[in-house]
Amino acid sequence: MLTVPETVKLFDQNAYAEDFSATVLSAERIVKTEKKGKKKKKEIVTWEVILDRTLFFPEEGGQTPDTGVLGGYPVTDVQLEGNVIRHTVLDNCGEDELFAVGQTVSGRIDFARRFSNMQNHSGEHILSGLVHGRFGYDNVGFHLSDNTVTLDFNGPLTEEDILWLEQTANRVVWDNKEIRAWYPDPEELKKTVYRSKKEIDGPLRLVEIPGVDMCACCAPHVRRTGEIGLIKIIRILRERSGIRLTILCGSRALAYMQTLQKAAEDVSHLTNMPREEIAAGTARILEDNDKLRQREAQLEAMMTAVLARSVPPGQKEVFLFAEGLGNLAQRRLVNTLCESHEGYCGVWIGNDQDGYRYIIGAGTESSKVSGDSTEGAGTEGNGAEPANTRDARVLNACLHKACGARGGGSPAMVQGSVMAAEAEIRRALEEALYERP
Ligand SMILES: [Zn+2]
């Protein structure tokens, strides 16, 4: 149980203050060991500090806490426990006594980050107020971190609704309305209609954007809506229970738009199209690409047919080396060869410098049962092997042994790759086929 008094929230009094000084009410040194690599352990020393007052906004209401320094040391977390705010401070210098009870310390928050949070949080209130006012939905989830700002509503919004929402929200920004945050007395609160996500114990703080929103909220806000700069809805996720909007406001929205503009400029240069027409231009390129793929498939089919015809019909084992055939065409060629040749049929695609990828099929003979001597009569072959012993994995193993090939498969078909020259591969295949004991 904490026995320290309630922390005075300086950020409530002035959301724009960056520096403050306070008295340390409690300070606890915590040592944790963190595993680093296999054996090394790293010791992490932090201090849990409670002050009489603070500018650090704690993690609350879906918003991540402020960062900054306290006594010159980085503040890595700020949590609210009841009415007390606890700061986690990293000891990055290895001193024993960073904080002592009764000591006066100075603190500074990362104001650029805080201001960005204020812009996004105030932007969220405008959007939630507008959605509530027009559609009657509640904001049932809010998340504001360095990377994402999301809002969940418990009802659907159409494409048109969202356009209206973004337009109207930005009009509220241009109107530069004053944003007021205060703790109303119980009488005033009773008469006020406001949005609230949960039951709040203790004094309730209201944030008002006149004509747009009235909401119970604990977070710092900008003074006037004009400071939000820009409200941009960048992603819409429709869920069964409602809709999730991902938004960006102010400096984050500007940074995002700059990134998009750069991407659009790059595509514009690459496609030689004006920026406004890159979608149509890209669609044309994709269409051309489809046509080229079809043409490529036709050419590959022709090449496969020519290659298949180049092998004398009576030849038993077929090993073809070629360049420029895709995987699918290579497989089709192996299948075609296997249908009309008894022995192993392999196709190697590549060249001696870069190596080859190969597929080897076991040929028609592999499917014969032992003793079926009538089929395949009149074809070339020594007839020494029983028909059902063909197993493409045998060739794969020989290629692996002789040339370091890597691959695998079934008795009927193997595939793999090999960094070796055609002559070397052919020699290994010859040995595998004819010099086996
Ligand atoms: Zn709020």
Side-chain angles (χ1 to χ4, degrees), residues 121 124-125 217 221:
H121 201 133
E124 180 265 321
H125 276 226
C217 179
H221 284 265

Side-chain angles (χ1 to χ4, degrees), residues 234-252:
I234 61 160
R235 213 162 291 129
I236 301 152
L237 182 68
R238 292 192 163 80
E239 291 164 330
R240 209 184 305 160
S241 53
I243 195 163
R244 167 169 286 191
L245 303 182
T246 302
I247 65 157
L248 289 173
C249 300
S251 55
R252 295 196 202 180

